[in-house]
Amino acid sequence: MKTGTNVIHLTLVVALGGLLFGYDTAVISGAVEALQNYFQLTAAELGFAASSALIGCVLGAALAGYVSNRYGRRGALIIAALLFLISAIGSAVPQHYWTFVIYRIIGGVGVGIASMVSPMYIAEVAPPARRGGLVAWNQFAIIFGMLVVYFVNYGIALMGSDNWLNDVGWRYMFASEMIPAILFFGLLFTVPETPRWLALKGRNHEAHGLLKAMNPRQDIEPQWQEIKQSLIKVHRPGIIAAGYLGVLVIGIMLSVLQQVTGINVFLYYAPAILKGFSDSTTDIALLQTILVGAVNLSFTVLAIFTVDKFGRRPLMMIGAGLMAVSMLAIGTAAYLDAIGGYLLVFMLLYIAAFALSLGPVTWVLLSEIFPNSVRSRALSIAVFAQWFANFVVSQSFPMMNEKESFIFQQFHGGFPFWLYGIMGIFTVYFIYRWVPETKGKSLEQLETIWQHDSTQGEHRMKPAGLS
């Protein structure tokens, strides 16, 4: 199959990895109650059923650096597509709890690989002036995948009674992922490898030709020289020896803070939260979850069109601040037993703020802050940390929110939301103090942020001792 070089085409195809990322992680939200009833799960088992895919995500993220270096960015995504397909089939047919868990872990490995490689691929082919918006399309695809599966889950729930949903309907939810997985696998054969990976492997003639084909109206020689120069360090022994420990720490912190501010509590458990704090029935709670997805998608689009205009730092700080306010308000209302219709309002405010900031912009920053010579290894470590934090949050929330638990009894369900709110406040400080602005610079120009010490402008944000 002939491959293309149009950057928009490449972005849309590779972003399907993001769509499957969102689809696979959110499909569980409509099936949580059915799984609990079908397999007769305790709160801890339910938490593990919901978060088991995250074990695979952690493994996939750990493997993604090696796989994308060894087999290429496109090769890694092809492997991810096959894992998505296997998981979709396997998760739909199990008769036993642990069989279901195993197939969810397999899908999680695919998510872990795609979550790292898709934004990295886009960043490596995108022109500097448009890189933020194009990488943010991957986050759009993630949210779009979530929204699609919310509609799919809602439609399946309407096909029968609650008893039918508990016995059979949930299987259709997981099986539906086969369609986008097959589409993603086929379309990947229409995209090439990235010029930077080809250069990394010494295939300079191919890399130069592809870079020229992707930028037909530009003089690519200055950029080509920057790419070659940036790879001189590729044979140095490691990230720390190459002098990039500081940027690795920043990447890890960005990844962890995106998760410990509580986003996946809403993305995975929204129907259960809405039912728990109100008199909503299953179908109404799923319908409200669709509204959550629609807000998420809308504000992600806003981020796409503003991240290259206003920059990464302003969006991140404003968004994290609004997320903190929303979480603290929800936690306080729960503690005072004053939950009402405005729970959905604060939930939507939180989702909107996340979609404008920590959702897409974290991935933009992660895809661009690491130097060429260590990008796949450093990004793999950062994304590994992200999925591990995701697992901890997703596993711990059902236990903290169980009505018989000590924490719930003491704080009336408010404690986890207060905790996430405090993390949001810390995120604002961290972005202000440590994260530099990266908009408008080539990937190679960004390396100078970590190579020079200065007390002025964006360099002031660097951690002490960063070389």
Side-chain angles (χ1 to χ4, degrees), residues 251-275:
I252 291 172
M253 287 299 296
L254 285 170
S255 289
V256 171
L257 289 172
Q258 187 197 52
Q259 299 303 312
V260 298
T261 45
I263 180 59
N264 285 313
V265 167
F266 290 142
L267 297 184
Y268 296 164
Y269 298 110
I273 292 171
L274 290 166
K275 286 185 68 178

Side-chain angles (χ1 to χ4, degrees), residues 420-437:
Y420 306 140
I422 292 170
M423 290 297 101
I425 294 172
F426 176 75
T427 300
V428 175
Y429 170 76
F430 180 81
I431 299 297
Y432 173 76
R433 180 65 182 86
W434 299 110
V435 179
E437 184 55 70

Side-chain angles (χ1 to χ4, degrees), residues 17 30 57 175 259 285 289 380 444:
C57 293
Q259 299 303 312
T289 303
S380 180
E444 291 68 38

Side-chain angles (χ1 to χ4, degrees), residues 53-67 83 105 108-117 380 383-384 387:
L54 301 181
I55 296 174
C57 293
V58 171
L59 295 174
L63 293 171
Y66 169 78
V67 172
L83 293 173
I105 290 174
V109 175
V111 171
I113 294 173
S115 67
M116 184 202 114
V117 180
S380 180
V383 176
F384 173 89
W387 284 114

Side-chain angles (χ1 to χ4, degrees), residues 15 60 100 111 117-118 129 140 206 224 320 429 443:
F100 172 81
V111 171
V117 180
S118 289
F140 173 89
E206 293 176 69
W224 175 241
Y429 170 76
L443 295 178

